[in-house]
Amino acid sequence: MDRAAAMTKADLAPPPLLPVDLDVTRLPNGGMILRSRVPLQTYPRCLGEKLVHWAAAAPQHPYLAERAASGAWQHVTYEQAHARVRGIAQALLDRDLSPARPIAVLSANSIDMGLLTLAAMHVGVPIAPISVAYALQSTDYGKLKQIFELLTPGLVMVGDGIRFAPAIDAVGRHGAELVVSANPKDGVPSTAFAALADTAPGAEVDRAFARVGPDTIAKFLFTSGSTGMPKAVINTQRMLCSNQQSWAQTYPFLAERPPVLVDWLPWNHTFGGNNNFGNVLWHGGTLYIDEGKPMPGLIERTVANLRDVSPTIYFNVPRGYDMLLPYLERDADLRDNFFRRLDLLCFAGAALPSHLWQRLDAVAVAARGKRVLIVSAWGATETAPGVTAVYFETDRPSTIGLPTPGFELKLVPNGDKLELCVRGPNVTPGYWKRDDLTRAAFDADGFYRIGDAGRLTDPNDPAKGVEFDGRIAEDFKLTSGTWVHVGDLRVKAIAAGAPVIQDVAVVGPNRADIGLLVFPNEAACRRLCDDLPDTTPLADLISDARVSDCVARALQALAAQATGASNRPTRALIMEEPASIDANEITDKGYVNQRAVLTRRAALIERLYADPPDPAVIGLGKRARHAARE
């Protein structure tokens, strides 16, 4: 660890990157438009052209891989994938599917799901991958019901007929055919997925493929934003292909050797399903489907996969790196295999806390004697997903980089912040069957209003990059009239409370001071209290003085660096109940929805500010007597 602390910029030899050549247009309102002067090169009309290309250029190269029931890796080559895709595509054409009767998918990432996705796009049938959490973690299936009512699917594919049967029973099929990849449930009429793949393709497949163009709907991806129920974001072929071409120009080293990914990020999200899945296909690489996840009991599967496969580029969210790092730090063989041919570490979705950045530098140095380039990227489901990326060296975790070729980023004054807006071929044409939401999402110049705020790293030099500055709708004022910028404070609180604090909700609208509702990192709490039995309930664990003292020290550290009431939390509650997906408090990637938490946990906020103080409250210089129970 000491070695990494002494590293200098000279100890990083990044792979070839896009040169920074920024055009800046100043606006009369004090805002600006940023764009790369490097033009976006031409790109295919649809993603399927890449599958056709690689099936001919590298037919035996492994494309998709997953663990078989035996535990061994099973692979599908590009030639095999193309042949199966054409067969499935014929089966889809036989069923007369369309945007009005699309495909809905409830499945963990799998080869079957990947092939179905490619087949649907091959013949212009929209596919809608849906979060499995809506089916397996939900108790009322409310979001799933709304999605099915909006989509009116003609075909529903489930990865496991038995696991997903309760959800399908609850929401109804809406007249759709049920296709099951594995474990059909007795007495439930369904079609085996293998039957689709066994269909003999005809000339109709080639004719349908020829009709697919840039405006063809490829997917419906669902997002609820900060409030409300899921909206169906239209993703076109133009959006997917312009993203991949822009990414290829930003990171040209990807063309030098086919990328190898070991990836868990769910394909119902734009990060995993568009960026990562598309990145492998674009460059003729190999995607090892990681059945793990950054949570206790599943992170071990990710670790096992990374023992087998050395990635060339690794994508994750900050929580994923947080869960993986302890294994990399204590296991030299794993660490060496992970970094053996790694070109790039990428995170997105949230800022990477500085302590995680430093630890990643340290394990890279331990493995190979030098750091690995760590970058961030930024976008949204509505931009499929790319807008900006870091293609220059930086040590600031909040940096989201600069626009990549072809995309424009407008910074518009909004209160004391700069709202980020996007224009380009990567932007959605709108929300399915919601013209009202579509109209509200765009400004008069056709820029999509993403809802995030940004700031320049150096106000005098925009080429130094843009930093994420939180969600416009999350910030609030104290009774003093002082603005609290939630995004900044959240990242600082997580870093100050590491490793006990997994995430926080920053509270205090119309209060005199700021409070924190703390989601604890259960694994870290158990490591801290390793003398307690493994069966110790979470409520008792987080009541331990060692845990509450860690949170108290975090408050003290934040107070020491605070510039005033706007960034000095004075109290905290550690919560026993995890974030609820039914209540829209969290996504299946682990992102906490600040506004939903504050609405649902209003009673806890009252306890946080109770007078006399609730004994569970941790204040500056004081620790809790017991955890916050609801």
Side-chain angles (χ1 to χ4, degrees):
M1 298 299 176
D2 292 337
R3 185 178 180 186
M7 299 305 285
T8 66
K9 291 185 177 181
D11 296 307
L12 175 67
L17 303 172
L18 176 75
V20 175
D21 187 5
L22 188 68
D23 178 77
V24 181
T25 300
R26 302 283 179 175
L27 302 176
N29 63 2
M32 65 186 69
I33 298 175
L34 308 180
R35 62 177 70 84
S36 174
R37 291 193 180 94
V38 178
L40 183 64
Q41 297 172 5
T42 57
Y43 48 86
R45 63 184 170 90
C46 65
L47 203 58
E49 287 197 352
K50 285 294 184 178
L51 179 62
V52 173
H53 168 77
W54 291 114
Q60 300 309 310
H61 190 77
Y63 171 30
L64 297 173
E66 66 183 0
R67 296 276 190 186
S70 64
W73 287 104
Q74 58 180 358
H75 299 80
V76 172
T77 67
Y78 277 93
E79 183 178 56
Q80 291 169 335
H82 183 232
R84 295 184 195 177
V85 161
R86 295 187 76 249
I88 299 167
Q90 181 64 61
L92 301 180
L93 291 174
D94 293 343
R95 286 157 171 80
D96 195 28
L97 302 171
S98 67
R101 299 180 66 250
I103 301 168
V105 178
L106 283 168
S107 173
N109 298 356
S110 67
I111 289 176
D112 284 356
M113 182 181 178
L115 295 177
L116 179 62
T117 299
L118 293 169
M121 291 195 291
H122 201 78
V123 291
V125 176
I127 189 165
I130 301 168
S131 170
V132 298
Y134 294 166
L136 301 182
Q137 296 178 26
S138 176
T139 56
D140 62 9
Y141 305 112
K143 292 183 179 181
L144 193 59
K145 290 176 183 176
Q146 189 194 54
I147 288 171
F148 272 54
E149 290 170 359
L150 178 67
L151 285 181
T152 61
L155 185 149
V156 176
M157 182 266 200
V158 297
D160 187 299
I162 294 176
R163 290 185 73 204
F164 288 99
I168 297 298
D169 289 344
V171 303
R173 296 194 193 183
H174 295 260
E177 177 183 3
L178 181 65
V179 173
V180 177
S181 182
N183 300 324
K185 185 178 180 182
D186 291 342
V188 177
S190 64
T191 302
F193 179 83
L196 302 186
D198 289 341
T199 305
E204 188 181 0
V205 171
D206 298 323
R207 290 193 294 268
F209 179 59
R211 290 193 296 268
V212 175
D215 292 317
T216 301
I217 299 174
K219 299 179 180 181
F220 296 121
L221 290 184
F222 285 87
T223 177
S224 57
S226 53
T227 59
M229 295 299 282
K231 300 169 292 189
V233 181
I234 299 169
N235 277 219
T236 65
Q237 290 289 342
R238 177 183 284 108
M239 294 168 65
L240 302 183
C241 292
S242 64
N243 255 281
Q244 291 303 325
Q245 180 59 42
S246 188
W247 186 272
Q249 291 177 232
T250 303
Y251 300 110
F253 66 89
L254 292 171
E256 296 177 1
R257 63 173 172 174
V260 175
L261 269 64
V262 179
D263 194 53
W264 71 270
L265 287 157
W267 292 346
N268 61 281
H269 281 278
T270 189
F271 189 1
N274 284 348
N275 186 79
N276 301 1
F277 186 86
N279 184 268
V280 170
L281 179 58
W282 200 262
H283 297 283
T286 306
L287 175 56
Y288 286 84
I289 298 170
D290 175 14
E291 74 281 14
K293 204 172 182 179
M295 58 187 298
L298 291 176
I299 185 65
E300 294 82 2
R301 299 183 187 180
T302 294
V303 169
N305 293 333
L306 290 172
R307 291 188 194 281
D308 284 357
V309 183
S310 298
T312 62
I313 182 169
Y314 193 69
F315 297 99
N316 216 325
V317 294
R319 183 178 183 182
Y321 285 112
D322 188 19
M323 296 290 289
L324 179 61
L325 268 164
Y327 294 91
L328 294 175
E329 288 168 335
R330 63 175 178 254
D331 188 327
D333 290 339
L334 172 67
R335 182 170 62 239
D336 291 346
N337 195 60
F338 180 75
F339 285 100
R340 183 167 60 85
R341 54 180 182 176
L342 195 66
D343 292 316
L344 185 75
L345 289 167
C346 181
F347 66 93
L352 186 71
S354 56
H355 73 282
L356 296 183
W357 188 297
Q358 293 162 5
R359 289 167 66 191
L360 284 169
D361 271 348
V363 293
V365 170
R368 57 200 289 178
K370 62 181 179 181
R371 293 179 292 137
V372 171
L373 185 66
I374 304 174
V375 305
S376 182
W378 172 84
T381 307
E382 289 84 350
T383 60
V387 179
T388 70
V390 175
Y391 43 94
F392 48 87
E393 189 178 353
T394 180
D395 58 359
R396 298 176 69 89
S398 56
T399 300
I400 59 174
L402 291 168
T404 59
F407 309 149
E408 297 177 278
L409 180 66
K410 182 164 67 172
L411 287 75
V412 183
N414 186 328
D416 63 346
K417 288 202 168 191
L418 291 172
E419 182 178 1
L420 301 179
C421 304
V422 187
R423 186 168 65 184
N426 58 328
V427 176
T428 181
Y431 300 100
W432 185 243
K433 298 181 181 179
R434 291 299 305 268
D435 291 344
D436 57 330
L437 295 177
T438 299
R439 287 191 297 270
F442 292 87
D443 70 11
D445 297 318
F447 281 82
Y448 169 65
R449 302 180 63 185
I450 208 165
D452 288 345
R455 59 172 177 261
L456 297 179
T457 296
D458 182 346
N460 298 314
D461 185 2
K464 295 290 181 62
V466 176
E467 298 187 9
F468 181 69
D469 198 21
R471 295 283 295 173
I472 293 290
E474 287 183 346
D475 293 349
F476 59 83
K477 283 185 178 181
L478 299 173
T479 52
S480 62
T482 301
W483 276 103
V484 176
H485 298 313
V486 169
D488 271 351
L489 186 54
R490 173 186 165 274
V491 171
K492 290 177 181 177
I494 294 170
V500 162
I501 295 180
Q502 180 76 67
D503 216 322
V504 299
V506 180
V507 307
N510 301 315
R511 305 276 185 174
D513 54 274
I514 302 169
L516 302 176
L517 295 180
V518 175
F519 291 101
N521 183 325
E522 181 176 350
C525 292
R526 292 194 183 280
R527 289 195 299 270
L528 188 64
C529 306
D530 57 2
D531 59 322
L532 297 180
D534 292 342
T535 56
T536 301
L538 179 60
D540 295 334
L541 185 70
I542 60 179
S543 298
D544 190 282
R546 288 165 290 188
V547 173
S548 53
D549 282 351
C550 184
V551 176
R553 288 193 297 270
L555 290 177
Q556 293 162 10
L558 292 169
Q561 59 185 274
T563 57
S566 66
N567 52 16
R568 186 180 65 241
T570 63
R571 60 194 76 203
L573 275 175
I574 307 176
M575 296 181 289
E576 177 185 352
E577 183 190 1
S580 165
I581 195 164
D582 282 340
N584 201 32
E585 290 185 318
I586 196 169
T587 72
D588 52 352
K589 285 195 296 184
Y591 301 156
V592 169
N593 182 338
Q594 164 89 11
R595 293 178 66 187
V597 170
L598 268 57
T599 298
R600 181 170 181 265
R601 303 187 187 230
L604 280 185
I605 297 174
E606 293 301 320
R607 290 181 60 190
L608 191 61
Y609 289 95
D611 186 19
D614 189 293
V617 171
I618 303 170
L620 285 170
K622 161 186 170 180
R623 71 174 186 231
R625 280 189 248 161
H626 59 78
R629 304 192 187 197
E630 300 182 53

